[in-house]
């Protein structure tokens, strides 16, 4: 039986990412600069696959970049229906929250891992807590949780970001959700790089308690 969603979704606090214009912005950024000529996503794809997450629930999947990296082992959820439609056009499996919680994919323990990448900086703390409350039950006991947020330069690059979520904030979110933290680290370069390189990320890897 599918879970009953008892709380809100990123739509309530992340309204600036809910419309068609935001989807169009993401699509434009995918083809900007060196991305047209170089495999700039290769380090991020390699990193995600190296974590060996199994079947992944990608919350806030956007246009499906990480779903593509997961090579068929992921299901995406996004509050922006235009972005969900774009994922489906790419042959990816993605749902709006209402669709997800109405179907069998929301069954408790159905996934091996939860991925929340470049989402928390778009929503306030209470909404983030609700997000974990909604989606963590879909991950099996002992399953993995991966949280990813931008560092300083990346944070400043997007006007839809509303709060800076660093290592301390990620650990606080994990503690509040009952996630057991395994490690935190800066990717792909050392922490200091994040002040100039906008694609440097804070990463937290944890587990759902057994």
């Amino acid at each position: 039986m599918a879970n009953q969603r008892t709380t809100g979704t990123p739509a309530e606090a992340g309204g600036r990412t809910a419309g068609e214009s935001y989807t169009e912005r993401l699509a434009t950024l995918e083809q900007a600069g060196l991305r047209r000529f170089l495999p700039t996503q290769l380090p991020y794809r390699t990193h995600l696959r190296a974590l060996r997450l199994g079947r992944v629930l990608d919350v806030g999947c956007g246009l499906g970049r990480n779903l593509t990296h997961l090579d068929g082992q992921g299901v995406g959820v996004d509050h922006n229906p235009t972005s969900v439609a774009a994922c489906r056009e790419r042959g990816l499996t993605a749902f709006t929250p209402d669709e997800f919680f109405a179907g069998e994919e929301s069954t408790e323990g159905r996934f091996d891992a939860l991925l929340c990448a470049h989402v928390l900086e778009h929503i306030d703390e209470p909404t983030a807590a609700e997000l974990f409350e909604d989606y963590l039950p879909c991950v099996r006991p002992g399953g993995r949780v991966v949280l990813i947020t931008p560092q300083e330069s990346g944070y400043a690059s997007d006007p839809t970001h509303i709060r800076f979520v660093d290592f301390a904030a990620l650990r606080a979110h994990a503690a509040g959700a009952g996630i057991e933290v395994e490690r935190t680290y800066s990717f792909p370069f050392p922490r200091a790089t994040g002040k100039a390189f906008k694609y440097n990320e804070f990463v937290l890897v944890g587990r759902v308690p057994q």
Side-chain angles (χ1 to χ4, degrees), residues 49-127:
R49 292 182 178 180
L51 292 173
R52 301 184 181 277
L53 297 174
R55 192 164 188 265
V56 178
L57 175 57
D58 181 5
V59 177
C61 63
L63 300 185
R65 179 184 64 192
N66 287 320
L67 291 175
T68 301
H69 295 345
L70 294 167
D71 198 24
Q73 292 298 303
V75 170
V77 180
D78 200 281
H79 73 122
N80 187 323
T82 310
S83 295
V84 169
C87 286
R88 292 172 177 170
E89 289 174 1
R90 296 176 174 187
L92 303 168
T93 301
F95 303 96
T96 64
D98 287 344
E99 292 171 338
F100 178 78
F101 286 105
E104 63 180 11
E105 291 291 7
S106 63
T107 303
E108 288 190 6
R110 190 172 178 88
F111 293 89
D112 298 306
L114 182 143
L115 173 65
C116 187
H118 293 270
V119 172
L120 298 177
E121 66 273 15
H122 290 280
I123 58 178
D124 58 31
E125 291 184 36
T127 304

Side-chain angles (χ1 to χ4, degrees), residues 152-153 192-198:
E152 287 88 350
S153 182
T193 312
K195 296 180 180 180
F197 180 59
K198 69 179 180 179

Side-chain angles (χ1 to χ4, degrees), residues 1-3 12 15 22 26 41 46-47 54 56 72 76 85 87 94 96 103-104 124 132-133 171 179 181 186 205 209:
M1 179 181 294
N3 289 336
E12 280 77 38
Y22 187 73
L26 292 180
Q41 280 298 306
T46 301
H47 168 239
V56 178
C87 286
T96 64
E104 63 180 11
D124 58 31
F132 293 124
E133 183 178 345
R171 286 183 174 276
I179 298 165
V181 178
S186 178
V205 178

